[in-house]
Amino acid sequence: MGRAQRGADHPAETRPGSARRRPLRRTAQLAGLALLVVPLTTGCSVEEVLRFGWPVGITPQAEAMRELWTWSAVAALVVGAVTWGAMLWAIAFHRKRKGDVDPPRQTQYNLPLEITFTVIPTIIVAVLFAFTVNVQNYVDTDSPEPDVRVDVTAFQWNWEFGYPETQAPDGQPVSTLGTTDTIPLLVLPTGRTIEFTQSSNDVIHSFFVPEFLFKRDVFPMPEVNDQDNVWQIDGIDREGAFVGRCAELCGAYHSMMNFEVRAISPELYDQWLGLRQQTNPITNAPYTAGEALEQLGCGQLCTPQAYTTYPFTTDRTQRSASLPVTSGS
Ligand SMILES: [Cu+2]
């Protein structure tokens, strides 16, 4: 007896359901087991899984955004699981089987069902919108009296960080200028509110510290361009060195436009800022960001990690990413 005939002997309606459902149940059990075992065996913690690929944030704003991301992703997965389940259920149990003359019962134009399927997504979108607005308002809120103010100036292809409420030995506010040889160090205190005021000297750049879980475009002439170029963080939660980047394609050496955030305790930060307003007796010039940091003597935290952007050069006339080769080298 051929396969087709055997199928015809046992029409779909009379087949015992348990025999067909068993492989499905087994697949579901295996998938559930994999969901449990894979994170455990790869060393992922629940907290890490729930971040869905985001880095660990270091500001209260970052934490608020991470929570929004986590629960939005969980809600999306729940909706996905229900949708995939409904699709598989329809495919598995309501398909046209061999020997069937008519297609399965059609249920389109079911008004109550259509209304339900319109109302539920509308509610989901409204809830996501409300939570998003809430977090966005928090991230955009600026306190009138931040503890620290920093000016961020972007240019092709580097950064300058100024501390407007200070005075260096030359009478100008303390500033840290990234050059061909030195990655700019943005030294900041932990546990204090910080306000950033951004501006670009040429094209649009973007200030991005992955651990802040935040970036803001750096516009030339922000007032003329009607851009909100001031933003704040409630504080940095922990000490450390964090890479910062330009996140807006801004020209040939955009990818090299990195900086480094060094978060140190408020006490060390005050000492650092004090030093920057003095002359380094060894060089007879104002302390640079790196020199002042090393002077604090707090071990690895006070040792600049990234000294140079080699082979990147910010000399626009050179038209090459390599440093000039001097005779004899
Ligand atoms: Cu840039």
Side-chain angles (χ1 to χ4, degrees):
M1 188 188 281
R3 274 177 148 240
Q5 281 168 300
R6 222 183 291 145
D9 288 347
H10 300 279
E13 293 74 29
T14 59
R15 268 185 221 160
S18 61
R20 279 187 297 106
R21 279 180 196 149
R22 216 172 286 144
L24 257 180
R25 194 174 299 158
R26 200 171 301 146
T27 311
Q29 281 169 347
L30 276 174
L33 198 65
L35 273 175
L36 277 175
V37 167
V38 169
L40 290 175
T41 49
T42 52
C44 295
S45 65
V46 174
E47 187 259 331
E48 199 178 336
V49 170
L50 284 177
R51 269 191 281 114
F52 293 106
W54 278 22
V56 178
I58 55 170
T59 68
Q61 276 84 354
E63 189 53 19
M65 287 183 277
R66 204 274 307 155
E67 279 176 14
L68 176 68
W69 166 240
T70 289
W71 297 114
S72 301
V74 168
L77 279 173
V78 170
V79 172
V82 170
T83 312
W84 296 322
M87 281 166 63
L88 288 173
W89 172 72
I91 292 165
F93 301 115
H94 296 280
R95 65 183 192 276
K96 187 180 170 189
R97 299 204 170 81
K98 258 177 205 160
D100 288 353
V101 179
D102 297 318
R105 190 163 64 88
Q106 302 298 294
T107 54
Q108 70 266 49
Y109 309 118
N110 183 319
L111 197 60
L113 213 57
E114 300 274 353
I115 291 172
T116 310
F117 289 165
T118 309
V119 168
I120 291 176
T122 308
I123 293 171
I124 292 172
V125 170
V127 170
L128 283 177
F129 182 79
F131 278 107
T132 306
V133 166
N134 200 23
V135 171
Q136 188 173 302
N137 284 346
Y138 168 53
V139 172
D140 274 343
T141 302
D142 293 342
S143 113
E145 282 301 320
D147 298 324
V148 177
R149 285 194 168 90
V150 182
D151 288 337
V152 174
T153 308
F155 58 92
Q156 284 173 317
W157 288 273
N158 222 316
W159 302 88
E160 183 173 11
F161 302 116
Y163 299 80
E165 288 147 333
T166 59
Q167 198 179 35
D170 60 3
Q172 298 295 313
V174 167
S175 89
T176 305
L177 177 68
T179 68
T180 298
D181 303 316
T182 312
I183 286 184
L185 261 180
L186 173 54
V187 179
L188 297 171
T190 55
R192 286 185 182 168
T193 53
I194 305 169
E195 180 173 279
F196 299 84
T197 304
Q198 303 188 154
S199 177
S200 164
N201 286 352
D202 36 54
V203 300
I204 300 173
H205 302 267
S206 186
F207 180 97
F208 178 38
V209 179
E211 276 82 4
F212 287 0
L213 302 180
F214 177 86
K215 60 186 173 183
R216 171 73 52 95
D217 275 9
V218 186
F219 271 49
M221 297 180 287
E223 312 77 32
V224 178
N225 285 307
D226 197 21
Q227 194 226 8
D228 179 10
N229 65 324
V230 181
W231 55 279
Q232 294 183 354
I233 50 176
D234 281 351
I236 298 175
D237 296 341
R238 58 186 163 91
E239 297 181 322
F242 309 98
V243 171
R245 303 188 187 287
C246 176
E248 176 70 46
L249 182 57
C250 60
Y253 305 127
H254 154 74
S255 66
M256 307 286 190
M257 211 174 136
N258 302 323
F259 58 95
E260 186 181 325
V261 170
R262 189 65 63 93
I264 54 179
S265 70
E267 299 74 37
L268 282 175
Y269 174 79
D270 289 340
Q271 286 180 41
W272 177 84
L273 210 55
L275 277 171
R276 294 228 50 201
Q277 296 173 82
Q278 294 169 29
T279 302
N280 183 347
I282 299 166
T283 61
N284 214 24
Y287 276 99
T288 66
E291 286 168 2
L293 203 57
E294 279 184 307
Q295 195 69 21
L296 299 178
C298 58
Q300 213 188 358
L301 187 65
C302 290
T303 309
Q305 306 287 317
Y307 269 113
T308 171
T309 55
Y310 180 85
F312 162 52
T313 171
T314 46
D315 178 3
R316 294 182 69 181
T317 59
Q318 193 179 298
R319 300 190 182 282
S320 159
S322 324
L323 284 171
V325 179
T326 51
S327 58
S329 67

